[in-house]
Each structure stands twice: as C-alpha cells, then as structure tokens.
C-alpha cells in the first residue's frame, strides 16, 4: 500500500476517481490510510451499500477513521487530480473512448495510474476473465496517442505493474 502511495503521491485536498473499481477495496484501503478530499468510484455493477460495506470493513479492521468524501457512479467526472484504473484496463471494450473521458476528466497536470497485469514475452490472458493482457509498451502507446505523457513504470509484483501518466 505504501509503495502505491509513494508512486501516486496524492494530497489530502485531491479529488480522485477510480474507474472499474468493483467494491472499492483497494481504493477504500488506500484512502483510509492516505486520505484525499474526495473519491469518486465508477463501476455500474456496484451499489452504494457495497461501498459502505467496504468502508465499514476497513475502518473496523484498522480502527482508523474514514475522512474522504465518497461518491459512486457520478453522472460526470470532472476536475479530478488523479484517476486510477486497478486491474481493469484489459476489460474495456472501447479504450480510445475511455481515454478521451479520462483525459477530459483530469485537471491540468492531473495523473492517471494504471495497475495492470501484463504480457512480458508472449501474449497472456487474464486468469479471471480470459481476455488478452497487453504488453507494457502497448499501454504506453495508447495513452501517448491520446495526448497523455508517460511518466513512470513501477513493478508491483511478478505479474503486474503500475504505469503513471500526466495530462
């Protein structure tokens, strides 16, 4: 968790969105330990009660107090300091359209962080859904073609990396 915070470096006054968040476990845990001003979670298959269950679980488990404002599935995303996509980039059918939405939602100099399992020497498929996994350079190329600047890569573990881009 600390390694992701060190990579993301968000501030307490930042507005963060996470796209394809599921029940928000990663996001809730991160913002519980490293609060932001506001967290927008985007996943059409999730209900508000699911997010509250995640918050309740982690606050009870850690004894920490939840300090970040949270909203689920807003009508629009605007004025975001950071946008996160955890293990979901390979899931999007129309990544070009998603990149346009991400770019328009970011503040100037805003950050996008992708956490994604990747192919390394041959094309792999995601164990959970069976969809093809990208090579690191393919993701970088997509983001750069959308007008986002590649900043850094950090290895997460033996199968996944973090990629950071700036508007």
């Amino acid at each position: 968790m600390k390694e992701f915070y060190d990579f993301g470096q968000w501030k307490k006054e930042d507005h963060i969105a996470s796209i394809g968040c599921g029940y928000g476990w990663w996001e809730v845990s991160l913002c519980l330990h490293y609060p932001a001003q506001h967290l927008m979670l985007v996943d059409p298959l999730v209900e508000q009660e699911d997010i509250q269950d995640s918050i309740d679980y982690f606050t009870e488990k850690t004894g920490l107090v939840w300090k970040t404002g949270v909203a689920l599935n807003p009508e629009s995303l605007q004025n975001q300091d950071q946008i996160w996509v955890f293990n979901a980039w390979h899931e999007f059918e129309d990544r070009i359209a998603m990149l346009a939405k991400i770019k328009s939602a970011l503040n100037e100099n805003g950050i996008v962080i992708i956490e994604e399992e990747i192919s390394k020497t041959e094309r792999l498929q995601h164990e959970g859904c069976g969809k093809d996994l990208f090579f690191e350079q393919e993701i970088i190329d997509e983001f750069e073609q959308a007008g986002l600047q590649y900043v850094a890569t950090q290895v997460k573990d033996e199968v996944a990396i973090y990629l950071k881009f700036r508007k």
Side-chain angles (χ1 to χ4, degrees):
M1 182 179 325
K2 182 162 179 6
E3 70 184 21
F4 184 79
Y5 175 74
D6 290 341
F7 191 68
Q9 292 289 310
W10 61 93
K11 301 170 197 74
K12 289 181 182 177
E13 64 271 9
D14 280 355
H15 288 245
I16 300 170
S18 183
I19 300 172
C21 66
Y23 291 164
W25 280 63
W26 277 103
E27 297 83 352
V28 167
S29 183
L30 286 163
C31 286
L32 183 60
H33 287 86
Y34 305 99
Q37 184 170 344
H38 201 268
L39 176 63
M40 289 204 179
L41 300 169
V42 180
D43 194 314
L45 304 176
V46 177
E47 302 292 331
Q48 187 66 43
E49 303 84 51
D50 300 321
I51 301 303
Q52 190 58 52
D53 287 348
S54 297
I55 293 170
D56 293 346
Y57 173 82
F58 282 107
T59 54
E60 184 177 317
K61 183 177 177 181
T62 64
L64 297 172
V65 175
W66 182 255
K67 298 177 182 175
T68 301
V70 65
L72 177 65
N73 296 325
E75 288 189 29
S76 69
L77 275 180
Q78 295 298 318
N79 304 314
Q80 299 300 301
D81 298 298
Q82 289 198 12
I83 294 178
W84 301 338
V85 182
F86 288 116
N87 194 29
W89 192 246
H90 63 277
E91 297 275 354
F92 298 121
E93 297 297 325
D94 190 348
R95 290 182 313 282
I96 293 171
M98 181 57 69
L99 277 166
K101 290 177 185 177
I102 287 171
K103 187 176 177 186
S104 71
L106 282 171
N107 290 330
E108 198 58 40
N109 294 311
I111 297 291
V112 180
I113 299 178
I114 302 293
E115 183 268 350
E116 186 75 5
E117 293 181 25
I118 59 165
S119 296
K120 294 181 182 175
T121 58
E122 62 185 51
R123 179 77 61 197
L124 300 174
Q125 282 74 43
H126 189 267
E127 197 172 291
C129 68
K131 292 188 177 185
D132 284 350
L133 296 174
F134 300 103
F135 291 94
E136 177 182 355
Q137 193 60 50
E138 289 177 310
I139 298 171
I140 293 169
D141 290 347
E142 278 186 325
F143 276 74
E144 287 183 331
Q145 288 170 6
L148 295 161
Q149 175 190 6
Y150 168 72
V151 176
T153 298
Q154 180 174 311
V155 174
K156 177 186 177 193
D157 55 34
E158 62 278 351
V159 296
I161 59 174
Y162 300 123
L163 293 161
K164 184 190 286 187
F165 301 90
R166 182 179 310 280
K167 179 175 177 180

